[in-house]
Amino acid sequence: MVSCQLVQDKVECPLPHSEDRLMEAFTAHRRLETEYHDPRAFRFNLNSFLSSLSSIREILQKEIEQRGDVQRWNDAKTSFKNDPWLLALAKARNVTLHQQAIFDGSVVQIGLYRWRRHKLSLNLKIPHDVPSEKLLTWFTASPLGKMFLDEEHSALGEEYGVWRQYYIDEISKKEDVLTMTRRGSIRAHDMIAAAHRLYEVETGHIPDSPLLTRDGLAETTVLLESDVDPGLPSKWGWR
């Protein structure tokens, strides 16, 4: 028996190959978020994620065909047939995302934040191909970086951060890449969940909130001084 990875109880998975590919996409996305602030690593992880996610639909179709349930699935998959996020990410998979596209699509702002909420952006010419941690280290040691915050960071919760977003036309002309990939992950899970329900297996639901909220996205898109050095809040006397 192959246990279903999407439920806590040991239930036999009706669609193990499709579910395994979904878990592969989730793993790639976790790496994408962990290494989000390194543009080069971001490209590698993004391409892996797109490859895994875009193949789920085909694998799922084949598994359901093998079980002889195509008609039932045709009725159940209506809402996913023209899903804008799944289609956009599948289309992007057919385009090779070169490093320059990632650099050019990276929007970077160094600014002042209070509990990860943006307060002030500084108008600087910043190289978008440099990892955020290096930019933050450079800025905090610069004369400009010493102007807005005292060394002790006496204003509780206020620190410098780098806000990085990626905008790539091949994926979306409206939304940043992280928003799109999170939407795609949720919808892919919804699709797998709908397929599991054909076999009376409930896999739960991934809610949009907090993943797609401003604060939820900022947990990844904003890199703070205290993210780089978790000991800083104690040093500043915040704890």
Side-chain angles (χ1 to χ4, degrees):
M1 182 183 78
V2 179
S3 296
C4 188
Q5 302 176 71
L6 297 176
V7 296
Q8 294 182 349
D9 297 331
K10 289 186 177 181
V11 176
E12 183 174 4
C13 184
L15 303 163
H17 299 298
S18 305
E19 184 178 88
D20 191 67
R21 189 54 57 90
L22 177 67
M23 300 307 292
E24 182 180 309
F26 284 175
T27 298
H29 201 275
R30 282 195 294 271
R31 289 197 302 268
L32 179 151
E33 296 207 18
T34 299
E35 301 181 293
Y36 180 89
H37 284 273
D38 181 340
R40 189 173 301 278
F42 179 82
R43 177 174 73 95
F44 298 155
N45 294 323
L46 177 59
N47 280 332
S48 295
F49 169 77
L50 292 174
S51 177
S52 298
L53 192 83
S54 62
S55 63
I56 291 173
R57 194 191 298 265
E58 181 180 353
I59 294 172
L60 182 58
Q61 185 70 29
K62 288 181 179 178
E63 276 197 300
I64 290 176
E65 286 177 1
Q66 290 172 357
R67 296 185 66 109
D69 291 317
V70 173
Q71 188 55 57
R72 288 208 299 151
W73 177 234
N74 286 343
D75 295 337
K77 71 177 184 181
T78 305
S79 63
F80 304 102
K81 187 175 181 180
N82 295 311
D83 184 88
W85 298 292
L86 291 176
L87 289 176
L89 294 172
K91 182 180 178 181
R93 177 64 187 95
N94 297 325
V95 178
T96 301
L97 294 178
H98 296 289
Q99 196 66 46
Q100 195 58 47
I102 302 298
F103 293 161
D104 292 346
S106 181
V107 178
V108 183
Q109 296 183 60
I110 290 181
L112 182 63
Y113 295 82
R114 180 176 176 82
W115 307 124
R116 214 174 289 275
R117 285 292 186 101
H118 176 257
K119 288 193 65 179
L120 172 70
S121 288
L122 305 176
N123 188 16
L124 300 171
K125 290 185 178 180
I126 301 172
H128 294 186
D129 58 336
V130 176
S132 301
E133 182 174 340
K134 289 186 177 180
L135 291 175
L136 192 55
T137 299
W138 160 76
F139 180 74
T140 54
S142 70
L144 185 59
K146 298 180 185 299
M147 287 179 58
F148 295 92
L149 286 174
D150 56 287
E151 188 174 347
E152 295 76 19
H153 287 52
S154 54
L156 184 64
E158 292 190 359
E159 56 184 309
Y160 289 126
V162 175
W163 184 11
R164 187 184 292 266
Q165 292 176 291
Y166 298 92
Y167 288 90
I168 301 173
D169 286 347
E170 288 85 353
I171 293 177
S172 174
K173 296 183 183 299
K174 296 180 180 179
E175 292 189 306
D176 69 285
V177 174
L178 181 63
T179 299
M180 285 294 295
T181 55
R182 284 190 176 184
R183 287 190 191 279
S185 296
I186 291 170
R187 291 301 286 157
H189 180 274
D190 289 345
M191 184 170 63
I192 293 291
H196 275 59
R197 282 195 292 273
L198 295 178
Y199 308 103
E200 299 182 351
V201 175
E202 289 294 334
T203 63
H205 173 66
I206 300 177
D208 288 355
S209 180
L211 291 174
L212 298 177
T213 64
R214 179 178 62 178
D215 289 346
L217 291 164
E219 288 292 327
T220 296
T221 59
V222 176
L223 183 74
L224 300 174
E225 293 178 80
S226 57
D227 294 326
V228 177
D229 184 353
L232 287 177
S234 294
K235 178 182 176 182
W236 297 330
W238 292 358
R239 296 175 182 170

